[in-house]
Amino acid sequence: MAAKGQVTRQANKEKRKEKILTVARNLIAQEGFDALTVNKLAQGAGVTIPTVHNLFGKKNDVVLALFQRLVDKVDDVLAEPELVDPIQASEAFLDNLLALYSSDEAFYRAAFLGGERLGLFEHELNEGVFKKSIRVAERLCERALEHGYLQGRLDSRWLAQQLFGSQRLARQDWVSGYIDLAHYRQQALIGMLITFAADATPALHERICDRVSQLAR
């Protein structure tokens, strides 16, 4: 009976945690990151303030747990079947990513803003968004080189950083409200393709120039 009671208590604990995270998600999406307080979390979840502290800790710990779920969802998107053609791979990567963001745009905007404030994009974090995104970009470059799309005159690690930089700048503009998701895609894709063009074979270079011209219209 004691074991059964322990299982029940653990299940109730997980339900309370889920409720608190749901309230946090809704507050961020509807009112912005600054609206999130432990008091509002407790009221919205129907628990006490000490309960929030016991289950998570401080406000930043709640945001960290919420942001980790965002990272996990991004990871799932990045694990989609891999393509080798740089143009097709870049477009598929962005389409998958933006499909995720468009599913709850207000939340993802606010969550990325919160992540920046908490330093969750810091370059030195091995499991952070920066390092994971760089690894994805490196795979894109390595596959393109292996299949004869790139000449190999430029270091793939340098190309990968520029690919990520193109996407990151567009994301920051979107998070700040300067552009919408359509312009996010256009801006990031043009930047990624121009990066590939720096080491592209003549055939790929010509295709990239044609695609960039279409995107820039």
Side-chain angles (χ1 to χ4, degrees):
M1 293 296 294
K4 183 177 180 180
Q6 184 176 0
V7 170
T8 300
R9 286 194 296 273
Q10 184 61 33
N12 290 334
K13 178 180 178 180
E14 291 302 317
K15 286 181 180 179
R16 288 194 296 271
K17 290 178 70 173
E18 287 297 322
K19 179 63 175 178
I20 292 169
L21 288 176
T22 297
V23 172
R25 178 190 179 99
N26 292 339
L27 277 171
I28 291 174
Q30 295 169 11
E31 301 181 37
F33 181 77
D34 290 331
L36 184 65
T37 65
V38 173
N39 186 46
K40 286 186 177 180
L41 286 175
Q43 289 181 348
V47 299
T48 64
I49 290 177
T51 296
V52 176
H53 288 308
N54 289 335
L55 293 176
F56 288 99
K58 298 180 180 179
K59 166 185 170 177
N60 286 0
D61 296 309
V62 177
V63 176
L64 182 61
L66 198 60
F67 190 81
Q68 185 57 55
R69 296 195 174 190
L70 178 152
V71 172
D72 291 341
K73 288 186 177 181
V74 172
D75 283 348
D76 291 340
V77 168
L78 300 184
E80 292 293 321
E82 298 177 336
L83 300 171
V84 297
D85 181 292
I87 298 177
Q88 294 178 358
S90 298
E91 298 213 30
F93 165 77
L94 286 171
D95 287 342
N96 289 336
L97 200 60
L98 298 191
L100 174 65
Y101 297 163
S102 65
S103 67
D104 195 346
E105 191 170 348
F107 166 72
Y108 283 107
R109 265 182 164 157
F112 273 115
L113 178 60
E116 289 281 4
R117 291 191 184 182
L118 296 181
L120 300 179
F121 296 118
E122 295 299 327
H123 295 192
E124 64 269 16
L125 297 178
N126 287 329
E127 293 305 313
V129 172
F130 177 83
K131 289 290 181 65
K132 290 183 178 183
S133 298
I134 287 292
R135 288 196 288 268
V136 171
E138 287 176 347
R139 291 200 302 270
L140 289 177
C141 294
E142 289 165 359
R143 291 197 305 273
L145 181 60
E146 290 171 1
H147 289 80
Y149 289 100
L150 300 180
Q151 300 185 66
R153 296 189 299 180
L154 297 177
D155 193 317
S156 292
R157 290 173 297 178
W158 180 88
L159 289 175
Q161 290 180 14
Q162 300 306 308
L163 288 174
F164 171 67
S166 298
Q167 194 275 132
R168 185 182 189 186
L169 178 59
R171 188 189 69 213
Q172 288 176 332
D173 284 348
W174 167 68
V175 168
S176 300
Y178 300 140
I179 60 175
D180 58 18
L181 285 176
H183 286 91
Y184 180 147
R185 184 184 190 277
Q186 179 192 44
Q187 179 177 319
L189 185 54
I190 288 176
M192 292 175 72
L193 294 181
I194 289 176
T195 297
F196 275 123
D199 195 44
T201 59
L204 177 61
H205 192 278
E206 182 176 354
R207 290 177 53 217
I208 287 176
C209 289
D210 290 341
R211 185 68 183 113
V212 170
S213 295
Q214 293 173 1
L215 290 167
R217 290 174 185 168

